[in-house]
Amino acid sequence: MTLSLPGDLPPGRGVPAGAPVLWYADTMPYAPLLEAWTRAQRQQDATGLRPVLCYADDDHPRSLDLAEVAAVDLEAELEQEWREHRRRQLAWLTEPPAAPEIPEDLVDFIEPWEDDPGPPFDRWPGLAPADLPAPGVDPDEAARAAIFAHLWHEGEPGISLGLVKAARSADIPAVIGWRAEAHLPLLCALLRSWEDRFGARVVAAIGSTLYVSVASPPRDEQQANHVALEHLLTTADNIVNDPPTPFPRYAASLVGAPLWRFWWD
């Protein structure tokens, strides 16, 4: 198998050798890297290769079979995850753990964690309603804007350009065999649904952190709560364990946010 690479690419390599599904650019300065990402994105329909920012030396295992993603009953599995989360939430509300004692010499330096009331739902609310992009808002253009406006300022050594042989952006983590503690078939099924409902695009898989651009982010508190619940059910550590951000504050941060970030240990 060969990849139909677009022109004007920097030096790089295809992986795995012999049957590549991913091409990595060698490490390059950040500004030319983003320019190359934009050129590749504009040619993705012709080449079948979708760009993603990544580490040039990431070692991915073999691709996940996309049939595993297609087999996911998304709403049923998320409802099951919700019921387990709700069970733990009710147990905590009934008998919250004792707050850890802070040594006197550290009291003025340690900010106590806020109490987290959790999602404002007492039953499974179903998937958040679709909020398709407004006329004139193109999800690929929104992805470029998110890359330049946000990831530009978070550049770090080792970031590279990857081109992935994927029919849709949501399949990028599965095709590259992205390694994280996330349940990959369920995550990719959710990414597909976000792509359909909100114009989402996977724009970066940097180590164990995933960045997703959103053409139509939540516009108000009610919608943000609904979408934030789906984020919570990904079990991403930055949402549930780093330390846990109180749900209302996390949901509020999603209103109008064009870039979603998830990471797992």
Side-chain angles (χ1 to χ4, degrees), residues 4-22:
S4 300
L5 297 174
D8 300 321
L9 286 178
R13 60 190 173 90
V15 293
V21 296
L22 168 66

Side-chain angles (χ1 to χ4, degrees), residues 162-222:
L163 300 180
V164 184
K165 191 173 182 59
R168 55 191 300 175
S169 169
D171 291 343
I172 286 176
V175 172
I176 66 176
W178 182 60
R179 292 192 295 183
E181 293 300 318
H183 176 28
L184 195 53
L186 178 60
L187 176 63
C188 288
L190 188 54
L191 289 168
R192 285 181 172 186
S193 183
W194 287 344
E195 187 175 306
D196 294 338
R197 284 183 286 152
F198 309 118
R201 297 289 187 268
V202 173
V203 293
I206 301 172
S208 59
T209 302
L210 196 70
Y211 292 87
V212 180
S213 69
V214 192
S216 294
R219 291 173 292 180
D220 55 40
E221 178 182 351
Q222 181 178 3

Side-chain angles (χ1 to χ4, degrees), residues 108-143:
D108 294 334
F109 302 97
I110 296 179
E111 182 178 346
W113 288 3
E114 299 177 48
D115 288 337
D116 182 5
F121 304 101
D122 57 10
R123 63 190 64 183
W124 170 242
L127 297 178
D131 184 19
L132 298 178
V137 177
D138 178 81
D140 289 333
E141 290 288 347

Side-chain angles (χ1 to χ4, degrees), residues 3-4 21 43-50 163-168:
L3 301 178
S4 300
V21 296
Q43 299 178 63
Q44 65 187 7
D45 290 338
T47 63
L49 300 175
R50 302 189 179 276
L163 300 180
V164 184
K165 191 173 182 59
R168 55 191 300 175

Side-chain angles (χ1 to χ4, degrees), residues 62-83:
R62 60 189 176 87
S63 300
L64 175 71
D65 188 341
L66 292 178
E68 294 188 43
V69 179
V72 172
D73 185 336
L74 181 60
E75 184 155 6
E77 292 203 24
L78 286 183
E79 181 176 2
Q80 182 177 347
E81 293 287 341
W82 156 250
R83 291 184 183 279

